[in-house]
Amino acid sequence: MDQRDEQEFAEYFAARRDAVRRTAYMLCGDWHRADDLAQTAFVALHRRWKKIRDRAATDAYVRKTLVRASIDESRRPWRREWQTETLPERADDGPGLDDLVATREDLLAALKEVPPKQRAVLVMRFFEGLDVTGAAQALGCSEGNVKSQTARGLANLRQVLEREVETNG
């Protein structure tokens, strides 16, 4: 890449890195993995920067790369969680936590239990604010697939949250 392309990429990176990192966190629920996913997306973008003709489509390219990297990463064997016979003891935090933080934590924990493709659709639709058409383009699938994955993802999310309420009140 020439100097002008490098400068354009650096400006784009500086402007979008926090938003991409937050989206990655919503996809995976872990800040360290979110950093890795964001880095993967930006490295892929850097490789193709010179070939991108429509700079307005850059956000869509980064989103698609981010979602694909998240789904690929979740398939790796070392990322799978293992069930144990006994649960670890919970720390007694008491009633000092703010309800907003508890709700946010519950939502993020529940989002981790939703399958990766459904989670990707939910993040694109409700966190990124994309409509069905935009989410379909970002994820490289049909609008019908986005609609069905959204319905299934919301149902799974409700089920997990209801289970959380029944268990912990």
Side-chain angles (χ1 to χ4, degrees), residues 12 16 20 45 54-65 128 138:
Y12 178 81
R16 298 293 299 153
V20 170
L45 176 64
D54 182 11
R55 297 285 190 215
T58 306
D59 285 343
Y61 178 80
V62 170
R63 272 195 300 269
K64 183 180 273 191
T65 305
E128 287 288 321

Side-chain angles (χ1 to χ4, degrees), residues 6 26 40 59 70 76 90 97 100 112 126:
E6 285 290 343
M26 293 297 290
T40 299
D59 285 343
S70 174
R76 302 237 162 86
R90 302 182 100 200
L97 293 176
L100 179 61
K112 288 181 187 177
F126 302 110

Side-chain angles (χ1 to χ4, degrees), residues 17-38:
R17 74 174 158 223
D18 291 336
V20 170
R21 185 174 179 253
R22 282 190 303 267
T23 300
Y25 178 75
M26 293 297 290
L27 289 169
C28 69
D30 179 279
W31 283 112
H32 297 290
R33 282 187 61 206
D35 288 336
D36 291 344
L37 292 172

Side-chain angles (χ1 to χ4, degrees), residues 114-122 125-126 131-133 135-136 139 141-158:
V114 175
K117 289 182 181 180
Q118 293 173 6
R119 184 181 326 134
V121 170
L122 293 176
R125 292 285 320 278
F126 302 110
D131 60 0
V132 173
T133 305
L139 298 171
C141 62
S142 69
E143 291 181 19
N145 190 9
V146 169
K147 291 176 186 178
S148 66
Q149 291 293 329
T150 300
R152 289 183 190 126
L154 287 174
N156 284 334
L157 195 59
R158 278 188 202 100

